[in-house]
Amino acid sequence: MFKMLVSFPALVKPILKQLCPHNYPVLNSRLFFEIWLTFVLDQGLTSMRSLFYRLNKAGIKVDISTFSKACKTRQDEHFCRIYAELIRQLKQKNPATAQMLFPIDSTVITLTSKLFWMQGYHQVKLLNGVNLTQGNPSECLIHFGQGHDAKFADRVTGMIPEDAIGVMDRGFASWDFLGQLSQDQTRFVVRLKNTMKTEFEHERYRVVWFCDLESQRVHPSYAMSRSA
């Protein structure tokens, strides 16, 4: 986290400079996004109040009430644009390599900001992957709701680079999804659910079990592409 905080000026401030420092729908754009990004990146901040206390001590005169009003006037595409630009810079710095592991997972985040509540959103599901060789994340799938991971098969196959092996947990385990990955010739390793009835399609993928001979215990099984 210390490295991330040190990198904040170098990574984020050049992007923030592209925003207007003098438009005042309530709060100027540059300060508005800098407040949000500081709160997101600094895990030492436990609440918005602690953030504004720090800002005020640094001589930046802004309060929570003004910031809350500014949230109602902003569109979320600005956040998406900043995120996309950071991903572009990271990929440019770390070019792709062959046969990389690419774990994919999702998380549900409760939304507390009025920026989203005004649009009727109370939670969001984020799904993305990370290239372990480079440290580069994929584009993030944002879904307002709790759709099952396997339902996003089309987007997931697009996340996995051509020369990578997608690694996924049981949330992605469905035979239809594995069949689509195989059809798209995407390399993958997916942990299967204990309740899934094993289906053998040797031409498309294989199923692997791990057994402890001493305890005679069978560990969770995994499905993987033939080339993984």
Side-chain angles (χ1 to χ4, degrees), residues 16 18 33 37 77 83 103 110 115 154-155 188 201-202 208 221:
L16 293 176
Q18 302 173 18
F33 285 101
L37 292 171
E77 57 259 27
Y83 177 78
T110 300
L115 177 67
D154 293 338
R155 297 291 297 273
F188 64 88
E201 295 195 27
H202 299 290
V208 180
S221 55

Side-chain angles (χ1 to χ4, degrees), residues 120-221:
Y121 300 133
H122 295 261
Q123 63 184 23
V124 63
K125 187 166 194 174
L126 305 180
L127 190 151
N128 74 329
V130 177
N131 180 338
L132 294 183
T133 303
Q134 306 164 269
N136 289 353
S138 68
E139 293 184 7
C140 185
L141 167 62
I142 301 175
H143 175 72
F144 290 96
Q146 288 198 44
H148 197 277
D149 292 341
K151 292 182 179 180
F152 306 112
D154 293 338
R155 297 291 297 273
V156 170
T157 54
M159 287 181 182
I160 303 173
E162 184 177 351
D163 295 320
I165 300 174
V167 182
M168 291 158 274
D169 62 15
R170 291 178 294 182
F172 297 89
S174 77
W175 296 120
D176 289 339
F177 178 51
L178 299 181
Q180 181 170 341
L181 289 174
S182 300
Q183 183 176 349
D184 295 339
Q185 298 184 338
T186 302
R187 297 181 180 91
F188 64 88
V189 176
V190 179
R191 180 178 173 181
L192 299 180
K193 300 174 183 176
N194 296 333
T195 56
M196 291 179 69
K197 183 178 179 180
T198 304
E199 299 182 9
F200 294 96
E201 295 195 27
H202 299 290
E203 296 80 13
R204 305 181 74 182
Y205 51 79
R206 51 186 169 162
V207 177
V208 180
W209 291 269
F210 296 93
C211 178
D212 187 334
L213 297 179
E214 293 184 2
S215 64
Q216 296 186 346
R217 178 185 175 187
V218 177
H219 293 280
S221 55

Side-chain angles (χ1 to χ4, degrees), residues 2-44:
F2 175 76
K3 183 178 179 181
M4 182 180 291
L5 290 177
V6 171
S7 302
F8 180 83
L11 286 174
V12 178
K13 288 198 173 181
I15 298 176
L16 293 176
K17 285 182 179 179
Q18 302 173 18
L19 301 174
C20 182
H22 303 298
N23 63 328
Y24 288 89
V26 174
L27 194 65
N28 75 79
S29 296
R30 189 178 298 176
L31 178 57
F32 175 80
F33 285 101
E34 186 166 0
I35 290 172
W36 264 120
L37 292 171
T38 301
F39 183 69
V40 170
L41 292 175
D42 189 348
Q43 293 184 347

Side-chain angles (χ1 to χ4, degrees), residues 38-56:
T38 301
F39 183 69
V40 170
L41 292 175
D42 189 348
Q43 293 184 347
L45 294 169
T46 57
S47 68
M48 277 290 185
R49 291 191 179 279
S50 60
L51 169 60
F52 282 96
Y53 176 80
R54 180 185 297 182
L55 292 173
N56 296 156

Side-chain angles (χ1 to χ4, degrees), residues 71-72 113-121:
C71 286
K72 298 179 182 179
S113 169
K114 293 180 181 178
L115 177 67
F116 297 103
W117 278 60
M118 294 292 291
Q119 302 179 51
Y121 300 133

